[in-house]
Amino acid sequence: MNYKELRVLLLKRFSMPKEHSVRGVLRSFTIAEKAVFYFFVSAFLLSGITLLWKVSDAFLIEVPIRGGTLTEGVVGNPRFINPVLAISEADKNLVTLLYSGLVRITPEGDIENDLAEEVIISDDRRVYTVRIRENTRFHDGTPVTADDIIFTIQKITDPSIKSPRKGNWDGITIEKVDEKTVSFALKQAYTPFIYNLTVGILPKHIWKNVSDDEFSFSQFNTLPIGSGPYQVEKVERNSGGIPNLYRLVPFENISNKAPFIKNLVFRFYPSEIALIEAYNTGGVESIGGISPEKILELEIGNSRVISSPLPRIFAVFFNQNQSKVLFNKEVRQALNLASPKEEIVEKILDGYATVISGPMPAGIYSWTSAEKNKLTPGERLKMAKALLDKAGWRPNLETGVLEKKSASGTMTLSFSISTSDAPELRQVASELVASWQKLGAKIDILVFETGDLNQNVIRPRNFEALLFGEVVGRDKDPYPFWHSSQRTDPGLNIALYANSRADKYLDNARSAQSPEVIEESYKAFAKELEGDVPAVFLYTPSFLYVVPRKVEAINLGSLTVAQDRFLSIADWYIETDKVWKIFANPDD
């Protein structure tokens, strides 16, 4: 169409059929008739527009879009944002978001591929061959290769690194098949091994020049480069150079979909009291792992509290090598009898926990939750006193503390109990001591900062009794905590427990394929432990997560550890838009 034709078309006068007739009819209307006519025409047009809008709305659906900010508060500052070294909750929260493993766990507890394209398990279940996705990248754009996988596992198993994950990799050989394929060989079949493959992968090209001595002091522990769903955009540090804020943004160049929430901000506080104050004054919007007794101190407002059971236990572990008095079995039995477990759960934990009597978390099996105690606290105390009396323990007439005379001298029923500075654990320790003092025991409570407790008390086994929590995990495997091979650091057998029959049951459970056989092995192990009383098992806690209502699609599922709340982070969203169903992504 040329210019002249277009000009003619634009200047052409269009007319409606019967236009003159319609105008004539309208001119013949009276004012009242015109008012009625135009009223109905307006109503018709309005109804038509409304109908069209409703039809359109019927085909529209709300979908999540990229946007929004969530600010979360955490107790403690991160030191090791490194999957090989992570110890504290602050470390582990960030590791979960910044690093990815070969496989990942869904909130429902299923295993699905992450960095891996496929995992092939041999018929005898002793060889796992993993092929890495072709398009996997670290945050700096470098491809993830077999060398990165091998490097990470070598660091975990290196004794000089002292990784808390080392026990899970004992006896496992890793081999490079090609640039994108590795194989893991087990000495014997171990069904839960697949969970080992969730460990985050370090970029070798960044860490390879860091010596073993420098590994725990490297700047990369606080400036991490991973391949997880989020990457670090900003770090703020206090006057001492310690990070007190991390701003994370979605990692766009990942093989899986990028998260919807545009900014994840983590702020760190020295105590739970400071964290609660920050929440109540609007400094943070969400907090995880809050103590049950602190919930009432929160101004919930537009937030909600989500709870989920945790597969972990809290117990008092006895170090018989450090305390002669705790070497006496009747003392350990009496302390167990006189422990106010139900009172601790109700008074201190507000019912957000389950009483246990053994090393397995409540709910994993039907027998792992303690039966309701039919004896009153007074009756249990009387039984405990009778047990000690029968063994020759008598009260000192001046102090009232029980003593036992022997050929080697007089032994006093006195010891210390070490724990962290978490308010909940301090209260639990005080409740235990109050009950045990009624037995005639003299007990000192030693409180440590979490990092100090790990480094200077737990690792060197420098305690007499320890009130502490153990994460048994989704694989239900208590081997790292009780097998005699794990008695020294970095093993996690903090009670230094050694029993050949118990070891055999743990080994059997690791190699068994049948769930029934695994359960029977664990049940026999728990029975063996019950007879030896290496610890007083107290409770399995629930995880409490306070999160603003603006965040949708949160699916906690059954958590293993607190950082598992982020397993479904890619699905969380704040901002939404409406689109026609035919344009919606079915994966969103």
Side-chain angles (χ1 to χ4, degrees):
M1 180 179 293
N2 56 35
Y3 173 75
K4 289 184 177 181
E5 292 174 334
L6 179 62
R7 188 169 182 275
V8 169
L9 179 63
L10 293 175
L11 295 176
K12 182 179 179 180
R13 182 177 178 182
F14 294 92
S15 60
M16 293 175 55
K18 306 294 184 181
E19 178 184 358
H20 293 290
S21 300
V22 171
R23 286 184 177 181
V25 171
L26 289 177
R27 282 196 294 267
S28 67
F29 282 174
T30 64
I31 294 177
E33 289 173 333
K34 286 182 179 180
V36 173
F37 174 78
Y38 285 118
F39 170 78
F40 281 109
V41 168
S42 300
F44 175 78
L45 292 174
L46 182 61
S47 299
I49 293 171
T50 303
L51 182 61
L52 287 174
W53 178 81
K54 287 188 175 182
V55 170
S56 175
D57 191 57
F59 287 95
L60 289 174
I61 59 171
E62 191 172 72
V63 296
I65 59 172
R66 174 70 55 77
T69 298
L70 176 63
T71 303
E72 180 145 337
V74 180
V75 174
N77 294 87
R79 294 176 58 197
F80 304 117
I81 310 174
N82 178 334
V84 174
L85 296 175
I87 295 176
S88 70
E89 290 300 318
D91 294 338
K92 294 174 182 177
N93 285 333
L94 293 173
V95 162
T96 298
L97 295 164
L98 297 171
Y99 289 89
S100 49
L102 292 171
V103 301
R104 61 168 168 255
I105 303 170
T106 68
E108 293 73 32
D110 299 323
I111 295 287
E112 63 182 27
N113 291 337
D114 195 349
L115 293 175
E117 183 174 342
E118 68 172 346
V119 179
I120 302 171
I121 304 174
S122 64
D123 292 338
D124 62 1
R125 295 178 296 109
R126 292 180 54 230
V127 178
Y128 290 67
T129 303
V130 183
R131 188 164 75 248
I132 305 165
R133 294 179 193 264
E134 288 297 328
N135 57 347
T136 53
R137 297 283 188 276
F138 287 108
H139 296 154
D140 62 357
T142 306
V144 180
T145 68
D147 290 332
D148 299 305
I149 313 301
I150 294 171
F151 178 83
T152 301
I153 306 309
Q154 287 176 340
K155 289 301 179 183
I156 290 175
T157 55
D158 186 339
S160 64
I161 299 296
K162 295 186 177 180
S163 170
R165 291 179 173 269
K166 182 178 182 298
N168 292 332
W169 291 90
D170 285 345
I172 296 169
T173 304
I174 182 171
E175 181 181 344
K176 178 179 178 179
V177 178
D178 58 44
E179 286 301 311
K180 285 290 186 177
T181 310
V182 293
S183 69
F184 302 90
L186 286 60
K187 290 183 177 179
Q188 59 184 14
Y190 174 44
T191 304
F193 172 75
I194 190 70
Y195 294 102
N196 284 22
L197 303 184
T198 62
V199 66
I201 302 302
L202 292 174
K204 180 181 178 179
H205 66 283
I206 287 178
W207 284 91
K208 65 181 179 181
N209 295 323
V210 178
S211 70
D212 290 346
D213 291 338
E214 299 169 336
F215 194 78
S216 61
F217 304 103
S218 171
Q219 63 173 337
F220 301 124
N221 285 312
T222 54
L223 294 172
I225 298 292
S227 56
Y230 279 89
Q231 60 184 331
V232 176
E233 182 189 58
K234 179 182 179 182
V235 183
E236 290 183 3
R237 301 174 185 270
N238 60 24
S239 57
I242 305 298
N244 56 17
L245 180 147
Y246 276 84
R247 180 184 295 276
L248 312 183
V249 295
F251 179 38
E252 301 290 351
N253 191 28
I254 60 174
S255 55
N256 300 295
K257 70 175 184 179
F260 293 113
I261 297 180
K262 187 176 181 180
N263 296 287
L264 275 182
V265 179
F266 284 86
R267 294 183 180 273
F268 306 98
Y269 299 88
S271 66
E272 191 175 51
I273 294 174
L275 176 61
I276 290 173
E277 181 181 354
Y279 175 83
N280 286 336
T281 55
V284 296
E285 301 172 284
S286 62
I287 48 179
I290 193 75
S291 301
E293 75 274 11
K294 298 294 184 181
I295 289 294
L296 296 178
E297 298 181 19
L298 301 178
E299 297 175 7
I300 299 299
N302 290 322
S303 296
R304 61 189 187 276
V305 180
I306 307 174
S307 67
S308 177
L310 288 168
R312 62 174 59 177
I313 65 161
F314 278 84
V316 177
F317 300 90
F318 299 129
N319 186 346
Q320 299 173 45
N321 291 352
Q322 290 280 337
S323 173
K324 289 184 179 180
V325 67
L326 293 175
F327 187 77
N328 292 265
K329 185 175 180 178
E330 72 273 5
V331 171
R332 304 194 304 274
Q333 289 174 322
L335 293 172
N336 188 39
L337 265 174
S339 298
K341 302 179 184 182
E342 292 83 359
E343 291 82 354
I344 287 171
V345 167
E346 294 303 322
K347 288 169 55 178
I348 299 175
L349 305 175
D350 287 339
Y352 289 110
T354 306
V355 173
I356 57 174
S357 58
M360 304 294 284
I364 285 185
Y365 297 115
S366 60
W367 47 270
T368 55
S369 299
E371 294 182 5
K372 186 173 178 61
N373 207 314
K374 297 178 181 179
L375 300 175
T376 66
E379 290 171 333
R380 297 200 304 271
L381 180 62
K382 185 177 180 180
M383 288 177 63
K385 285 183 174 181
L387 186 64
L388 292 172
D389 184 71
K390 184 179 179 180
W393 292 88
R394 303 288 184 267
N396 181 291
L397 296 179
E398 294 183 3
T399 64
V401 178
L402 292 181
E403 297 177 340
K404 184 177 181 179
K405 299 184 184 298
S406 65
S408 59
T410 301
M411 187 183 305
T412 302
L413 185 48
S414 174
F415 61 93
S416 63
I417 180 170
S418 301
T419 193
S420 82
D421 57 0
E424 171 189 303
L425 292 182
R426 289 204 304 267
Q427 292 181 58
V428 171
S430 297
E431 190 75 17
L432 286 167
V433 168
S435 293
W436 290 346
Q437 285 176 339
K438 296 175 184 177
L439 275 176
K442 180 181 181 299
I443 303 166
D444 296 318
I445 300 176
L446 306 180
V447 178
F448 299 85
E449 183 271 328
T450 302
D452 189 22
L453 183 73
N454 278 309
Q455 295 294 329
N456 301 318
V457 177
I458 296 177
R459 281 190 159 180
R461 309 299 193 251
N462 186 24
F463 60 88
E464 294 182 316
L466 174 71
L467 172 59
F468 193 64
E470 291 182 340
V471 179
V472 176
R474 202 179 298 271
D475 59 7
K476 312 171 187 177
D477 184 16
Y479 180 101
F481 306 106
W482 295 105
H483 197 276
S484 61
S485 65
Q486 304 299 308
R487 284 178 293 171
T488 56
D489 182 63
L492 301 176
N493 183 350
I494 54 181
L496 287 81
Y497 182 65
N499 180 313
S500 58
R501 288 189 299 275
D503 284 352
K504 182 180 178 181
Y505 294 133
L506 290 172
D507 290 334
N508 289 344
R510 281 198 149 197
S511 60
Q513 184 174 9
S514 165
E516 291 76 20
V517 174
I518 294 174
E519 180 178 354
E520 284 305 313
S521 297
Y522 285 149
K523 194 170 186 179
F525 157 71
K527 191 70 176 176
E528 197 69 34
L529 213 66
E530 181 182 352
D532 292 333
V533 200
V536 172
F537 301 102
L538 300 172
Y539 60 88
T540 288
S542 295
F543 178 79
L544 303 181
Y545 191 31
V546 182
V547 64
R549 295 184 186 279
K550 70 178 183 180
V551 183
E552 300 287 348
I554 296 178
N555 177 17
L556 295 187
S558 180
L559 303 183
T560 299
V561 288
Q563 62 268 22
D564 277 358
R565 66 188 181 277
F566 298 122
L567 290 178
S568 63
I569 189 67
D571 297 323
W572 298 12
Y573 65 89
I574 296 174
E575 303 291 342
T576 62
D577 195 5
K578 284 191 173 184
V579 299
W580 280 24
K581 291 179 182 179
I582 59 173
F583 297 118
N585 186 340
D587 293 329
D588 288 347

